[in-house]
mmCIF file of all heavy atoms in Angstrom:
data_model
loop_
_atom_site.group_PDB
_atom_site.id
_atom_site.type_symbol
_atom_site.label_atom_id
_atom_site.label_comp_id
_atom_site.label_asym_id
_atom_site.label_seq_id
_atom_site.Cartn_x
_atom_site.Cartn_y
_atom_site.Cartn_z
ATOM 1 N N GLU Q 75 128.930 72.751 142.616
ATOM 2 C CA GLU Q 75 128.268 72.353 143.797
ATOM 3 C C GLU Q 75 128.645 70.881 144.211
ATOM 4 O O GLU Q 75 128.865 70.588 145.397
ATOM 5 C CB GLU Q 75 126.735 72.461 143.486
ATOM 6 C CG GLU Q 75 125.948 72.211 144.769
ATOM 7 C CD GLU Q 75 124.463 72.429 144.528
ATOM 8 O OE1 GLU Q 75 123.992 72.876 143.432
ATOM 9 O OE2 GLU Q 75 123.636 72.099 145.435
ATOM 10 N N LEU Q 76 128.748 70.045 143.230
ATOM 11 C CA LEU Q 76 129.176 68.659 143.416
ATOM 12 C C LEU Q 76 130.582 68.533 144.039
ATOM 13 O O LEU Q 76 130.738 67.882 145.070
ATOM 14 C CB LEU Q 76 129.203 67.931 142.122
ATOM 15 C CG LEU Q 76 129.744 66.470 142.077
ATOM 16 C CD1 LEU Q 76 128.866 65.541 143.015
ATOM 17 C CD2 LEU Q 76 129.822 65.933 140.721
ATOM 18 N N MET Q 77 131.519 69.340 143.533
ATOM 19 C CA MET Q 77 132.836 69.351 144.086
ATOM 20 C C MET Q 77 132.783 69.793 145.588
ATOM 21 O O MET Q 77 133.543 69.273 146.436
ATOM 22 C CB MET Q 77 133.842 70.222 143.246
ATOM 23 C CG MET Q 77 134.157 69.592 141.938
ATOM 24 S SD MET Q 77 135.041 68.003 141.930
ATOM 25 C CE MET Q 77 133.698 66.891 141.678
ATOM 26 N N SER Q 78 131.984 70.898 145.837
ATOM 27 C CA SER Q 78 131.980 71.355 147.157
ATOM 28 C C SER Q 78 131.426 70.251 148.154
ATOM 29 O O SER Q 78 131.888 70.148 149.259
ATOM 30 C CB SER Q 78 131.048 72.573 147.222
ATOM 31 O OG SER Q 78 130.852 73.050 148.488
ATOM 32 N N LEU Q 79 130.431 69.555 147.694
ATOM 33 C CA LEU Q 79 129.858 68.466 148.519
ATOM 34 C C LEU Q 79 130.912 67.499 148.807
ATOM 35 O O LEU Q 79 131.035 66.961 149.907
ATOM 36 C CB LEU Q 79 128.607 67.858 147.751
ATOM 37 C CG LEU Q 79 128.088 66.566 148.460
ATOM 38 C CD1 LEU Q 79 127.218 67.057 149.592
ATOM 39 C CD2 LEU Q 79 127.247 65.806 147.360
ATOM 40 N N LEU Q 80 131.648 66.965 147.750
ATOM 41 C CA LEU Q 80 132.664 65.974 147.962
ATOM 42 C C LEU Q 80 133.753 66.390 148.860
ATOM 43 O O LEU Q 80 134.279 65.631 149.661
ATOM 44 C CB LEU Q 80 133.180 65.545 146.596
ATOM 45 C CG LEU Q 80 132.118 64.791 145.706
ATOM 46 C CD1 LEU Q 80 132.793 64.533 144.334
ATOM 47 C CD2 LEU Q 80 131.633 63.533 146.385
ATOM 48 N N ILE Q 81 134.160 67.600 148.753
ATOM 49 C CA ILE Q 81 135.299 68.185 149.574
ATOM 50 C C ILE Q 81 134.805 68.211 151.044
ATOM 51 O O ILE Q 81 135.500 67.887 152.003
ATOM 52 C CB ILE Q 81 135.759 69.557 149.093
ATOM 53 C CG1 ILE Q 81 136.531 69.338 147.738
ATOM 54 C CG2 ILE Q 81 136.525 70.349 150.129
ATOM 55 C CD1 ILE Q 81 136.755 70.662 146.986
ATOM 56 N N GLN Q 82 133.508 68.653 151.238
ATOM 57 C CA GLN Q 82 132.962 68.687 152.619
ATOM 58 C C GLN Q 82 132.921 67.280 153.205
ATOM 59 O O GLN Q 82 133.241 67.070 154.384
ATOM 60 C CB GLN Q 82 131.536 69.236 152.553
ATOM 61 C CG GLN Q 82 131.486 70.738 152.380
ATOM 62 C CD GLN Q 82 130.119 71.247 152.151
ATOM 63 O OE1 GLN Q 82 129.105 70.795 152.786
ATOM 64 N NE2 GLN Q 82 129.911 72.345 151.415
ATOM 65 N N TYR Q 83 132.639 66.290 152.374
ATOM 66 C CA TYR Q 83 132.591 64.946 152.802
ATOM 67 C C TYR Q 83 133.959 64.511 153.338
ATOM 68 O O TYR Q 83 134.202 63.902 154.359
ATOM 69 C CB TYR Q 83 132.155 63.949 151.683
ATOM 70 C CG TYR Q 83 132.140 62.505 152.205
ATOM 71 C CD1 TYR Q 83 131.083 61.936 152.882
ATOM 72 C CD2 TYR Q 83 133.237 61.692 151.958
ATOM 73 C CE1 TYR Q 83 131.124 60.636 153.390
ATOM 74 C CE2 TYR Q 83 133.280 60.404 152.431
ATOM 75 C CZ TYR Q 83 132.235 59.883 153.100
ATOM 76 O OH TYR Q 83 132.347 58.646 153.566
ATOM 77 N N LEU Q 84 135.032 64.866 152.489
ATOM 78 C CA LEU Q 84 136.398 64.470 152.795
ATOM 79 C C LEU Q 84 136.781 65.163 154.079
ATOM 80 O O LEU Q 84 137.495 64.607 154.900
ATOM 81 C CB LEU Q 84 137.367 64.873 151.715
ATOM 82 C CG LEU Q 84 137.149 64.047 150.410
ATOM 83 C CD1 LEU Q 84 138.178 64.602 149.388
ATOM 84 C CD2 LEU Q 84 137.456 62.546 150.664
ATOM 85 N N LEU Q 85 136.379 66.406 154.342
ATOM 86 C CA LEU Q 85 136.759 67.152 155.517
ATOM 87 C C LEU Q 85 136.041 66.568 156.768
ATOM 88 O O LEU Q 85 136.669 66.400 157.793
ATOM 89 C CB LEU Q 85 136.446 68.603 155.432
ATOM 90 C CG LEU Q 85 137.215 69.447 154.427
ATOM 91 C CD1 LEU Q 85 136.687 70.846 154.254
ATOM 92 C CD2 LEU Q 85 138.716 69.489 154.803
ATOM 93 N N ARG Q 86 134.743 66.155 156.622
ATOM 94 C CA ARG Q 86 134.059 65.437 157.773
ATOM 95 C C ARG Q 86 134.738 64.156 158.026
ATOM 96 O O ARG Q 86 134.814 63.730 159.190
ATOM 97 C CB ARG Q 86 132.658 65.277 157.383
ATOM 98 C CG ARG Q 86 131.785 66.502 157.540
ATOM 99 C CD ARG Q 86 130.324 66.199 157.487
ATOM 100 N NE ARG Q 86 129.948 65.490 156.387
ATOM 101 C CZ ARG Q 86 129.528 66.002 155.192
ATOM 102 N NH1 ARG Q 86 129.507 67.308 155.047
ATOM 103 N NH2 ARG Q 86 129.111 65.257 154.179
ATOM 104 N N ALA Q 87 135.230 63.484 156.998
ATOM 105 C CA ALA Q 87 135.878 62.182 157.188
ATOM 106 C C ALA Q 87 137.146 62.367 158.023
ATOM 107 O O ALA Q 87 137.470 61.510 158.831
ATOM 108 C CB ALA Q 87 136.183 61.515 155.786
ATOM 109 N N ASP Q 88 137.865 63.457 157.674
ATOM 110 C CA ASP Q 88 139.091 63.678 158.501
ATOM 111 C C ASP Q 88 138.743 63.967 159.949
ATOM 112 O O ASP Q 88 139.500 63.447 160.817
ATOM 113 C CB ASP Q 88 139.771 64.950 157.890
ATOM 114 C CG ASP Q 88 141.023 65.255 158.633
ATOM 115 O OD1 ASP Q 88 141.894 64.281 158.830
ATOM 116 O OD2 ASP Q 88 141.159 66.422 159.151
ATOM 117 N N GLU Q 89 137.673 64.631 160.190
ATOM 118 C CA GLU Q 89 137.249 64.805 161.674
ATOM 119 C C GLU Q 89 137.050 63.551 162.370
ATOM 120 O O GLU Q 89 137.238 63.483 163.602
ATOM 121 C CB GLU Q 89 136.047 65.706 161.649
ATOM 122 C CG GLU Q 89 136.261 67.174 161.275
ATOM 123 C CD GLU Q 89 134.969 67.963 161.093
ATOM 124 O OE1 GLU Q 89 133.944 67.416 161.420
ATOM 125 O OE2 GLU Q 89 135.046 69.187 160.658
ATOM 126 N N ARG Q 90 136.635 62.521 161.672
ATOM 127 C CA ARG Q 90 136.430 61.235 162.252
ATOM 128 C C ARG Q 90 137.768 60.392 162.174
ATOM 129 O O ARG Q 90 137.679 59.182 162.292
ATOM 130 C CB ARG Q 90 135.384 60.506 161.567
ATOM 131 C CG ARG Q 90 133.992 61.163 161.752
ATOM 132 C CD ARG Q 90 132.838 60.263 161.162
ATOM 133 N NE ARG Q 90 133.088 59.949 159.784
ATOM 134 C CZ ARG Q 90 132.606 60.640 158.728
ATOM 135 N NH1 ARG Q 90 131.912 61.798 159.003
ATOM 136 N NH2 ARG Q 90 132.818 60.228 157.476
ATOM 137 N N ASN Q 91 138.917 61.016 161.940
ATOM 138 C CA ASN Q 91 140.222 60.378 161.820
ATOM 139 C C ASN Q 91 140.185 59.259 160.726
ATOM 140 O O ASN Q 91 140.786 58.261 160.807
ATOM 141 C CB ASN Q 91 140.657 59.678 163.138
ATOM 142 C CG ASN Q 91 141.135 60.657 164.109
ATOM 143 O OD1 ASN Q 91 141.716 61.656 163.743
ATOM 144 N ND2 ASN Q 91 140.916 60.403 165.365
ATOM 145 N N PHE Q 92 139.502 59.752 159.632
ATOM 146 C CA PHE Q 92 139.485 58.816 158.433
ATOM 147 C C PHE Q 92 140.916 58.683 157.924
ATOM 148 O O PHE Q 92 141.650 59.643 157.755
ATOM 149 C CB PHE Q 92 138.601 59.417 157.412
ATOM 150 C CG PHE Q 92 138.560 58.650 156.137
ATOM 151 C CD1 PHE Q 92 137.818 57.530 156.016
ATOM 152 C CD2 PHE Q 92 139.248 59.070 154.985
ATOM 153 C CE1 PHE Q 92 137.755 56.834 154.878
ATOM 154 C CE2 PHE Q 92 139.194 58.450 153.846
ATOM 155 C CZ PHE Q 92 138.448 57.236 153.770
ATOM 156 N N THR Q 93 141.423 57.528 157.613
ATOM 157 C CA THR Q 93 142.684 57.253 157.010
ATOM 158 C C THR Q 93 142.566 56.516 155.692
ATOM 159 O O THR Q 93 141.596 55.786 155.505
ATOM 160 C CB THR Q 93 143.604 56.429 157.977
ATOM 161 O OG1 THR Q 93 142.973 55.163 158.175
ATOM 162 C CG2 THR Q 93 143.901 57.200 159.249
ATOM 163 N N ASN Q 94 143.490 56.759 154.760
ATOM 164 C CA ASN Q 94 143.495 56.096 153.505
ATOM 165 C C ASN Q 94 144.297 54.826 153.546
ATOM 166 O O ASN Q 94 144.839 54.525 154.634
ATOM 167 C CB ASN Q 94 143.940 57.027 152.389
ATOM 168 C CG ASN Q 94 145.404 57.413 152.441
ATOM 169 O OD1 ASN Q 94 146.077 56.837 153.255
ATOM 170 N ND2 ASN Q 94 145.823 58.283 151.629
#
Side-chain angles (χ1 to χ4, degrees):
E75 188 178 352
L76 172 64
M77 290 297 101
S78 176
L79 174 78
L80 295 175
I81 290 167
Q82 287 174 30
Y83 178 87
L84 293 176
L85 292 173
R86 281 193 308 271
D88 181 54
E89 290 171 3
R90 294 186 307 266
N91 282 330
F92 177 77
T93 58
N94 70 4

